[in-house]
Each structure stands twice: as C-alpha cells, then as structure tokens.
Amino acid sequence: MAKQTSDRKVNIVFIGAGAVGCFYASRLHHPENSLHVSLVARSNYKAIEQSGVQLKTRTFGDYTFQPEAAYPSVQAAAGAEGGWDFIFVTTKALPDVSDDSEMITPLVGSKSCIVLIQNGVGVEEPFRKRFPQTPIVSAVTIVSAEQISPGVIRQNRWTRVSIGPFTDGLGKTGDTELERRGHQATEDLTRWWTDLGGIKDVEPHDEVGLQTVRWHKLCINAAMNPSAVLSGGRGNASMVTDPELRQHLAGVMHEIWDAAPKILGRPFPDSMARPERILKSTERNVGARPSMLLDWEAGRPMEVEVILGNPVRIARESGVEMPRLQTLYALVRSAQEMRKQALKGKL
Ligand SMILES: NC(=O)c1ccc[n+]([C@@H]2O[C@H](COP(=O)([O-])OP(=O)(O)OC[C@H]3O[C@@H](n4cnc5c(N)ncnc54)[C@H](OP(=O)(O)O)[C@@H]3O)[C@@H](O)[C@H]2O)c1
C-alpha cells in the first residue's frame, strides 16, 4: 500500500499536549511524508519547547517526539504559515469550564478539518454549531496513557482509536460536500496512523457507527467514573467485585445499552461487548482507577457534562429517560459544585 501522502505539506496542530494528544501526535508526525505535526501546550510548554516530548510506550518502546513547532497558546499558533489542515482537540472535554470551539477559532480556515479525540458524547456539538461548514472527524480511544511529569508521557497499554466523520451525528444534513470531506479526512488519518504511525487498530467507521462506539464506551465511563467517586474512591475491579455495586454498574450499563439504539437508530453490533462481559473483564483490571476519580482526588474539574449530562439530555430529546444516569449526574455535579463553593469559602 502506498505510504505517500501528497507533495503538499500537511500542517497539523494538536491543542492539548497531554497524554492522549502527545501519544497520537507522535504517531502522526512524518515530515518525510509531508506530515508536519505541531503542539499547542500549556503547563508543559517549557519542557516540550526545550526537549520535545519523551514517550515511554509499551507498544513502540521509548522515543522522543520533536514536534514541528511547540506553541504556548492558540494565538501563537494562529499566524503559522500555510494555515492548518488538521486541528486536533485533545483537551479534557469540559464545556462547563471552557468553550474549546471558541478557543480554536483563530486556527480554523477554509481548508481545515477539526478532529476531536475526547471521551463522552455530544462533544462535537459546540464545534458543529460554530463551524457549520468545517469537516469534523470524531475519535474515541481506549489507550491507557498518562503524563508522569511535564512533557513525559507513558502509554501503559492499548492503542485502539476509532474514527469517523461527524456532520450532525446521524448523517442526515444532506450536505454532501461536508460528508465527502469528513470521509476523506477519516480515510487519510486511518492510512497515516496505520501505515506510517504503526498503529494496528485504527478503526474507521461511518458516522452512526462512530457514535455507536462513543455510546458503547459510555457504558464503561458513565458507570465506572461517577461510581468510583461516589463510592468513596474505589477502583474498577474493587467495584465490580462488590455485589451491590456490581448490580448498580450493570443497571447503568443496561440503561445505556437500551437507550443508544433508540437514539441512533442502529443496534450495537454483536462484536461489541455486552454489559455482563464488560463487568467480567473488569474483574481482572486490578489497580485501574477511572479518570474522573483521579481528577476528583486532584481537585481538578471532572468530565461530568460529556459523560453524564449530555447523554441524559440527548436521550431526553429522543424521548428516552435515563433515571440511573440522571441520578449519578445530579449527585456528582452537586458534589463538584459544593466543593468549589467550599474552596471559595462560601459554605
Ligand atoms: N489518558 C487516557 O488514557 C485516556 C484514554 C481514553 C480517553 N481519554 C480522553 O482523552 C481526552 C484527553 O485526555 P488526557 O488524558 O490526554 O488529558 P490530559 O493528560 O489532562 O491532557 C489534556 C491537556 O490539554 C491541555 N489543555 C487544556 N486546556 C488547554 C488550553 N486552553 N490550551 C492549551 N492546552 C490546554 C492540558 O494542559 P494543562 O496541563 O495546562 O492543564 C493538558 O496538557 C479526555 O477526553 C479523556 O477522557 C484519555
């Protein structure tokens, strides 16, 4: 298969030089094949500017990723020569804290494609609203990665990234040009990450197929993440081996499993693990602690809206209520708000 991209330089920028961003950026940067990847960093800008990104990976060994350029802000990246072909957003998805669609505005031009690698559902919506004519590629990863010190990323395991175009989430806009560009970008990224980046499980999907992957991952995230916080800080394996908690987790997973096909108009394929299988395999995942719990313990904002709030609202728009998810949403959101107020000395 041809690894060649094109004679034209492809300018790619990642906003959010954290665990996910740096890992996938490092697998896409191939200047010899016209792919030039830059990073917009924040707290780790100095480290990356000085020494690049140090990657310690289980899949590809240890290496240094020297981006084409590192920028300390979006504004600094805005004036780049040639503009940006691909703008990746790999921040934590926190629409209640910041509108990242507004943040990237100075980077978006007529040839740009936006790529979102984030957890949750409904993450594309603010971008679609702000940029109705810009192709969007939606991506879900199951990588396990973390930043262990500024500019040092450890990939613990897994590489799979599922990608697909996003127009309105259901592919019903009738905008054939937007669809065509989204499909083309999905194809290009699949080929580059696979042939050049060496990632063996890049999985392209059609629009509804990718949303199905998002809702399937939500079965895990919406069950495990808030429950880890509300159960007093338990890890995944610890929760599934407690009979009451296991019943609760299964209830949340089944609620999503039943709701998603009604929202998307397509059932989960047989190849996707059902709740019982997810729970069974989680028994072996000893030591794993959901990201929402890590964020809670570190006093950082949690991805409450995209993992809980959006699914409840999106389901409701389709006439589907999700009472278990709504309960988790109300409780975790309130816990976060109460802590914020307490820190401000207002309680
Ligand atoms: N890590 C995993 O294993 C994993 C697996 C699957 C999915 N995910 C999902 O992938 C997404 C990214 O997660 P992550 O683990 O990579 O998070 P992360 O390590 O916290 O990285 C996010 C990065 O975004 C940066 N950032 C945030 N706002 C910014 C801004 N306005 N300008 C510039 N940089 C900004 C942060 O900088 P600061 O350091 O300054 O805050 C941080 O470096 C999330 O949706 C997460 O749920 C993660």
Side-chain angles (χ1 to χ4, degrees), residues 82-262:
W84 298 106
D85 298 285
F86 287 88
I87 300 154
F88 281 71
V89 180
T90 49
T91 53
K92 287 266 172 81
L94 301 166
D96 47 336
V97 176
S98 69
D99 180 352
D100 289 355
S101 73
E102 184 181 14
M103 178 179 65
I104 67 163
T105 300
L107 306 176
V108 182
S110 59
K111 65 171 185 174
S112 302
C113 171
I114 297 167
V115 186
L116 307 171
I117 318 182
Q118 294 177 311
N119 270 339
V121 298
V123 292
E124 306 92 347
E125 212 45 49
F127 295 88
R128 175 48 68 231
K129 279 208 182 97
R130 193 175 293 274
F131 306 108
Q133 298 307 320
T134 304
I136 294 176
V137 170
S138 187
V140 181
T141 174
I142 62 153
V143 74
S144 163
E146 59 194 310
Q147 182 165 214
I148 51 178
S149 62
V152 183
I153 307 296
R154 183 166 65 205
Q155 176 242 8
N156 300 309
R157 53 189 152 166
W158 300 313
T159 55
R160 193 201 308 155
V161 58
S162 307
I163 61 174
F166 181 96
T167 57
D168 62 355
L170 297 173
K172 289 190 171 162
T173 57
D175 186 334
T176 49
E177 179 58 9
L178 198 61
E179 281 172 16
R180 188 195 64 73
R181 290 179 67 195
H183 277 287
Q184 184 62 53
T186 300
E187 251 180 50
D188 288 343
L189 290 172
T190 302
R191 196 173 67 252
W192 298 337
W193 263 328
T194 305
D195 295 349
L196 303 171
I199 299 177
K200 292 198 169 62
D201 45 7
V202 184
E203 298 189 341
H205 292 265
D206 67 9
E207 183 158 356
V208 175
L210 193 279
Q211 291 303 314
T212 306
V213 177
R214 277 201 176 280
W215 283 87
H216 186 259
K217 190 161 187 217
L218 199 70
C219 285
I220 304 166
N221 288 337
M224 297 291 175
N225 275 287
S227 304
V229 174
L230 297 171
S231 65
R234 292 174 77 155
N236 297 19
S238 164
M239 283 192 288
V240 298
T241 46
D242 176 294
E244 288 295 339
L245 278 174
R246 189 180 183 111
Q247 194 179 327
H248 151 74
L249 294 168
V252 175
M253 289 182 186
H254 275 289
E255 192 169 89
I256 296 169
W257 189 272
D258 293 343
K262 293 179 193 147

Side-chain angles (χ1 to χ4, degrees), residues 93-99 301-306 333 336 340:
L94 301 166
D96 47 336
V97 176
S98 69
D99 180 352
M302 301 177 287
E303 293 183 298
V304 176
E305 294 303 329
V306 296
R333 187 165 162 266
Q336 178 166 262
K340 210 158 87 187

Side-chain angles (χ1 to χ4, degrees), residues 11 40 71 73-84 106-108:
N11 292 319
V40 171
Y71 298 101
S73 66
V74 165
Q75 283 66 29
E81 202 190 317
W84 298 106
L107 306 176
V108 182

